Amino acid sequence: MDAVRIGLQVLLVLGGLFLTLLILLHKGKGGGLSDMFGGGMSTSLGGSSVAERNLDRITIAIAVVWFTCVVALGVLDRFAA
């Protein structure tokens, strides 16, 4: 059981770091602090590119893995003997 727990903890940390990186790679949608300081001057073409959609999909997949690790660790802690 300890090997599973250590594996999940490592996956949780790596997933969290990778998820942070992916979120920072997303293009800003406006209305935040970047607009307040003049960062929102770029015009958008209205649609999202293939790269942006793929980045969204990868981010969601990593978030699901991260959430699954959190739930699995909680279940292991709950039923640990």
Side-chain angles (χ1 to χ4, degrees), residues 4-5 7-17 19 61-79:
V4 173
R5 181 170 306 185
L8 284 172
Q9 288 173 344
V10 167
L11 192 59
L12 183 70
V13 170
L14 291 176
L17 292 173
L19 190 59
I62 297 296
V64 168
V65 168
W66 185 85
F67 181 75
T68 305
C69 286
V70 170
V71 171
L73 282 170
V75 167
L76 281 177
D77 283 344
R78 174 74 172 101
F79 295 111

Side-chain angles (χ1 to χ4, degrees), residues 11-60:
L11 192 59
L12 183 70
V13 170
L14 291 176
L17 292 173
F18 195 55
L19 190 59
T20 303
L21 176 70
L22 288 173
I23 289 171
L24 289 175
L25 284 175
H26 276 85
K27 188 171 79 169
K29 303 295 183 203
L33 286 175
S34 63
D35 281 347
M36 188 185 309
F37 297 110
M41 294 295 196
S42 64
T43 61
S44 110
L45 298 175
S48 61
S49 67
V50 173
E52 189 74 23
R53 285 191 302 249
N54 286 337
L55 185 61
D56 289 341
R57 290 178 186 142
I58 294 170
T59 304
I60 290 170

